Amino acid sequence: MKPIVVRGARVVDPSAGRDEIADVLLQDGVVRAVGRGLGTPDGAAVLDAAGLVAAPGLVDLHVHLREPGREDVETIATGARAAAAGGFTSVCAMPNTDPVTDNQAAVGFILGQARRAGFARVYPIGAVSLGQQGEQLAEIGELAAAGAVAVSDDGRPVATAHLMRTALEYARTFAIPVIDHCEDQSLSHGGAMHEGLTSTRLGLKGIPRSAEDIIVARDIALAELTGGHVHFAHVSTAGAVRMIREAKARGLRVTAEVTPHHFTLTDAACESYETNAKMNPPLREATDVAALRAGLADGTIDCIATDHAPHHYDAKEAEFDNAPFGVVGLETALGLAIAELVEPGVLTLAQLVERMASGPASLAHLPGGTLRPGQPADVVVFDPAAAWTVDPALFFSKSRNTPFGGRRLRGLVRWTLVGGVVVHSAGDRPDTGNRSGR
Amino acid sequence: MSGALGKDLLGLEHLSADQIRLILDTAEPFKEISERAIKKVPVLRGKTIVNLFFEASTRTRISFEFAEKRLSADTVNVAASGSSVVKGETLVDTARNLEAMRIDMVVMRHGSSGAAKFLADRIESTVINAGDGKHEHPTQGLLDLLTIRDHRPIAGTKVCIVGDVLHSRVARSNIWGLLKLGAAVAVCGPQSLLPLGIEALGVHVFRRVEEAIAWADVLNVLRLQLERMQAGYIPSLREYYRHFGVTVERLEQAPRDLLILHPGPMNRGVEIDSRVADGPHSVILNQVTNGVAVRMAVLYLLAGGNPELAEAAKGASDR
């Protein structure tokens, strides 16, 4: 494996408190050195990164790769390729596949497929309950031993307070978080979008904020009871942000993520019955968007995760009620985050890297998220100023279900390196000439 | 086909007051056709219309069919239960296949909100929404407006919609139409059957039907479906009638006589007392009669008919 020198980048590595122009030397799969004027070892490749940002590769705690079961909409290979294109070097695959990732063999299958594919690293998340049925605990110890980095019944909430309690207690032994999709299904049942004025006008059944807030409150109480680590998936409401902030202030082990679509869009995107704006939890209102951004800024929300959820064109080409929930996000996350958070001054670039790389890596105890010497050579090099227009036809993902088609974003990934190997470069994608450069 | 109303009629929310008035004014001359011995004029001769009903309907489907036939259109009725829909065909495929047979208009009733717009965006033919989920039922809203206008000017009239507003497409079309024509609009019902944020549409909310009756000039009483009790929105139909039923006793307390509308089908003794439904101030059957005229007007205008010629078109039946 040839050494690589990333030359002259603005190196942003919050884990080392670094934000300066420097070179990064990657050798033997790890970061060898970061500093000014590093030489070029014999046979090394040089990536000229003048004017670009080099940061630890992005880490996404929440993706749906659909394999096994729905390989027609995404596979581990295409998902890992899309991740690399988005600047992600590690992604965590939710277990709601068919069959469910609720045993050690299923974990091994995902790791094997990811290894064969190359591209981004894929870490499996195991199920909390067998078959995600909400009844019997899955063998969490064996899942963890096989390589699962967390457990979750995502797609649905952990069904009962008792199950959540025992999962939190049991998972402590293996030091992995329990990730919950917070939704009181007795309140959300049949709902298609956020309950508010827009749902009233469109005549669609609404999902109230309280459906999320009630389970967040339950889980905080159980985190307090058990001392376990709850990670809140895709927080969407101002109330959840407020409760998580308070729980953290009380020293509880709670962490949280927000998706790019929830910090960017409101329920107005469902206007005209746009099924690509149908997701769960639903897009909320401007007050929630403001609270989510404030939560990101003050650290209440630890990280940005995409909830990348591929769906077939036919499934979304349907009446709003009948379309499935979910949007793809891996290839638009960084561009949205820079356009919506860094440009308006919600986060500094260093804070953004913390929320998209070192933060998620450390809360799930993953390698990476840092450029400290000796750590995996997982690096993203991007042009923070480059503007580009989202063209879903150019996605590496097999699916195109995004509400962001045609939107102007900022921040273009130039190279993604995993283990010191370039797994994506901007030229890999057919250029439609819509990139204006800097 | 595109005239004063555009290609489709999907709802009243996006129509202007002038467009709504145009439909009502155009309906006036069409009323008379249904009173004739020979109830037919040739204005839609050669036009092909498909009535595509994915939900059960008696009144609306027959009303549309009469309107189409009295304008001399060729019509086909498709009910979901007897069609390829039960074989798993998608809505858009069903419609595109119909369109491949060269039709002019589709009148559609569907259980999903937004289904009419979904279809209209994907086919060339004119789409008329005959009820989409809980969203809109524009021709019902229009016939309610026409019926109220037969008795009093709409501007300034106080209309209260009573009952299950949450699940009602009739309520939404009424609210938009009435507000655009200058009526004062209120809703009344248990809060569990009122949509969140309904006040923001510009309507007043009454929690007790007695207060609504004291305020209103017109009551539009909505059907309460039995399923609402089973789904836990209300404890029982009996209790609903006791607290929200429109009864003679309650109406007798009103400072003035109220005009009573109901979109049907009625649950006598649940949302409305039979003595009210059959009473002197009920215009429930007038609504049904006006429904045919309003639908004739909508069909005529969407087919590109000239509003000024509606009166003359009527005379063409003499040929």
Side-chain angles (χ1 to χ4, degrees), chain A residues 195-197 199-205 272-273 317-322, chain B residues 13 91 110 112-114 117-118 122 134-135 172 195-197 200-201 233:
Chain A
E195 183 170 350
L197 186 55
S199 68
T200 292
R201 283 183 36 246
L202 295 177
L204 291 168
K205 180 154 191 217
S272 303
Y273 302 96
E317 175 72 358
E319 304 88 324
F320 199 89
D321 281 337
N322 296 333
Chain B
E13 181 179 359
L91 170 58
H110 196 286
S112 291
S113 299
K117 175 171 170 51
F118 178 84
R122 285 162 181 78
K134 297 171 291 192
H135 177 225
R172 285 167 178 77
L196 199 69
L201 299 184
Y233 288 96

Side-chain angles (χ1 to χ4, degrees), chain A residues 81-438:
Chain A
R81 181 68 187 86
F88 292 94
T89 54
S90 294
V91 297
C92 298
M94 281 294 176
N96 61 335
T97 46
D98 182 15
V100 169
T101 314
D102 62 1
N103 61 79
Q104 55 183 340
V107 171
F109 169 78
I110 294 166
L111 292 171
Q113 292 294 80
R115 205 175 304 115
R116 270 187 284 282
F119 308 118
R121 302 175 198 269
V122 178
Y123 294 101
I125 295 171
V128 169
S129 62
L130 278 180
Q132 294 191 308
Q133 294 300 304
E135 286 161 13
Q136 189 181 342
L137 275 184
E139 290 170 328
I140 293 174
E142 292 199 349
L143 289 167
V149 297
V151 286
S152 180
D153 274 351
D154 186 64
R156 58 186 78 167
V158 175
T160 65
H162 173 71
L163 183 67
M164 187 65 180
R165 175 196 175 156
T166 49
L168 283 169
E169 288 170 336
Y170 196 74
R172 280 196 79 177
T173 302
F174 309 99
I176 57 175
V178 179
I179 304 178
D180 204 7
H181 162 120
C182 295
E183 174 187 356
D184 182 322
Q185 293 184 312
S186 72
L187 279 173
S188 64
H189 178 75
M193 67 173 292
H194 170 65
E195 183 170 350
L197 186 55
T198 306
S199 68
T200 292
R201 283 183 36 246
L202 295 177
L204 291 168
K205 180 154 191 217
I207 300 172
R209 292 183 181 93
S210 51
E212 177 164 328
D213 296 350
I214 285 166
I215 303 299
V216 169
R218 177 195 82 174
D219 288 356
I220 288 172
L222 294 172
E224 184 161 20
L225 175 68
T226 63
H229 177 186
V230 182
H231 177 69
F232 292 106
H234 45 50
V235 171
S236 76
T237 69
V241 174
R242 190 180 64 239
M243 287 187 279
I244 294 165
R245 182 178 290 125
E246 190 212 60
K248 284 189 164 187
R250 290 196 290 123
L252 302 182
R253 292 187 71 202
V254 297
T255 54
E257 70 192 31
V258 63
T259 71
H261 45 273
H262 285 113
F263 68 61
T264 301
L265 299 175
T266 66
D267 61 346
C270 300
E271 207 51 68
S272 303
Y273 302 96
E274 173 53 61
T275 58
N276 282 324
K278 181 176 177 181
M279 59 257 318
N280 189 10
L283 298 171
R284 305 256 181 216
E285 297 180 25
T287 50
D288 300 288
V289 171
L292 293 169
R293 291 178 176 210
L296 269 171
D298 72 10
T300 299
I301 296 176
D302 303 82
C303 59
I304 294 167
T306 64
D307 194 6
H308 179 80
H311 286 291
H312 199 279
Y313 171 83
D314 290 342
K316 284 286 194 181
E317 175 72 358
E319 304 88 324
F320 199 89
D321 281 337
N322 296 333
F325 293 106
V327 291
V328 292
L330 283 168
E331 294 172 76
T332 49
L334 180 64
L336 282 165
I338 293 176
E340 297 294 327
L341 301 176
V342 177
E343 296 229 314
V346 176
L347 297 180
T348 64
L349 196 60
Q351 285 175 313
L352 181 71
V353 171
E354 205 279 328
R355 302 289 188 272
M356 294 189 80
S358 43
S362 73
L363 84 82
H365 313 294
L366 305 180
T370 174
L371 296 179
R372 282 195 296 265
Q375 296 299 308
D378 293 0
V379 183
V380 59
V381 182
F382 61 93
D383 181 344
W388 57 287
T389 302
V390 179
D391 179 357
L394 299 181
F395 284 169
F396 286 97
S397 170
K398 276 194 174 186
S399 292
R400 311 269 178 263
N401 51 303
T402 174
F404 297 115
R407 195 179 179 100
R408 278 305 261 182
L409 304 186
R410 282 236 178 230
L412 188 62
V413 175
R414 188 65 64 87
W415 294 289
T416 305
L417 299 98
V418 173
V421 175
V422 174
V423 294
H424 172 78
S425 64
D428 295 351
R429 201 194 299 268
D431 195 346
T432 53
N434 70 23
R435 272 142 207 173
S436 68
R438 312 222 19 249

Side-chain angles (χ1 to χ4, degrees), chain B residues 1 3-12 15 19-20 22-28 30 43-44 49 64 67-68 71 105-107 126-130 137-143 290-305 310:
Chain B
M1 276 195 280
L5 303 182
K7 173 178 159 295
D8 311 294
L9 178 65
L10 305 180
L12 300 190
L15 289 189
Q19 287 173 312
I20 292 171
L22 173 67
I23 297 169
L24 301 182
D25 293 345
T26 306
E28 291 292 347
F30 283 128
V43 298
L44 292 187
I49 303 176
F64 265 109
E68 292 154 3
L71 295 176
M105 295 193 192
V106 177
V107 176
T126 286
V127 174
I128 300 176
N129 182 7
H137 189 353
T139 57
Q140 179 72 44
L142 290 163
L143 74 87
N290 278 341
V292 178
V294 151
R295 291 177 176 117
M296 289 168 83
V298 165
L299 291 162
Y300 175 76
L301 292 170
L302 285 171

Side-chain angles (χ1 to χ4, degrees), chain B residues 28-283:
Chain B
E28 291 292 347
F30 283 128
K31 282 181 181 174
E32 188 264 334
I33 292 168
S34 296
E35 305 301 329
R36 297 179 184 176
I38 297 172
K39 301 175 178 59
K40 212 169 187 75
V41 293
V43 298
L44 292 187
R45 195 162 56 190
K47 300 285 186 196
T48 309
I49 303 176
V50 177
N51 299 313
L52 188 56
F53 277 67
F54 291 94
E55 276 187 346
S57 163
T58 304
R59 195 179 331 262
T60 302
R61 187 180 56 73
I62 292 174
S63 180
F64 265 109
E65 199 175 345
F66 275 139
E68 292 154 3
K69 291 197 156 129
R70 288 173 191 178
L71 295 176
S72 306
D74 296 314
T75 67
V76 177
N77 295 322
V78 183
S81 56
S83 73
S84 50
V85 174
V86 294
K87 299 178 190 165
E89 187 169 66
T90 65
L91 170 58
V92 72
D93 282 339
T94 302
R96 281 182 182 146
N97 277 279
L98 292 170
E99 192 161 63
M101 298 179 212
R102 302 292 176 256
I103 58 170
D104 298 291
M105 295 193 192
V106 177
V107 176
M108 185 171 77
R109 159 76 53 96
H110 196 286
S112 291
S113 299
K117 175 171 170 51
F118 178 84
L119 186 67
D121 288 346
R122 285 162 181 78
I123 67 173
E124 300 290 321
S125 309
T126 286
V127 174
I128 300 176
N129 182 7
D132 63 326
K134 297 171 291 192
H135 177 225
E136 284 225 42
H137 189 353
T139 57
Q140 179 72 44
L142 290 163
L143 74 87
D144 291 344
L145 292 171
L146 186 63
T147 307
I148 295 169
R149 202 177 75 163
D150 286 345
H151 292 84
R152 51 188 304 143
I154 290 173
T157 288
K158 297 182 206 166
V159 182
C160 185
I161 302 163
V162 183
D164 183 6
V165 177
L166 180 64
H167 298 98
S168 177
R169 52 195 171 213
V170 175
R172 285 167 178 77
S173 288
N174 261 270
I175 289 168
W176 296 121
L178 287 163
L179 289 174
K180 283 169 200 278
L181 296 194
V185 184
V187 296
C188 176
Q191 190 173 331
S192 55
L193 291 176
L194 299 179
L196 199 69
I198 185 83
E199 299 91 338
L201 299 184
V203 307
H204 189 71
V205 175
F206 288 109
R207 305 208 180 276
R208 304 199 70 95
V209 74
E210 293 83 358
E211 294 168 14
I213 287 170
W215 173 83
D217 302 309
V218 177
L219 292 187
N220 196 343
V221 186
L222 301 175
R223 171 183 170 75
L224 187 80
Q225 294 183 8
L226 185 61
E227 305 92 90
R228 303 304 170 222
M229 185 179 77
Q230 289 150 351
Y233 288 96
I234 53 165
S236 70
L237 299 181
R238 191 187 63 79
E239 172 159 302
Y240 183 86
Y241 185 64
R242 279 191 68 178
H243 289 284
F244 295 96
V246 176
T247 62
V248 168
E249 290 74 18
R250 288 195 167 111
L251 289 175
E252 279 170 358
Q253 303 299 313
R256 61 189 84 83
D257 289 334
L258 274 69
L259 204 62
I260 305 294
L261 286 79
H262 190 300
M266 278 188 285
N267 291 310
R268 291 170 181 266
V270 178
E271 70 268 2
I272 192 166
D273 182 343
S274 274
R275 291 173 298 161
V276 174
D278 303 334
H281 305 294
S282 165
V283 291

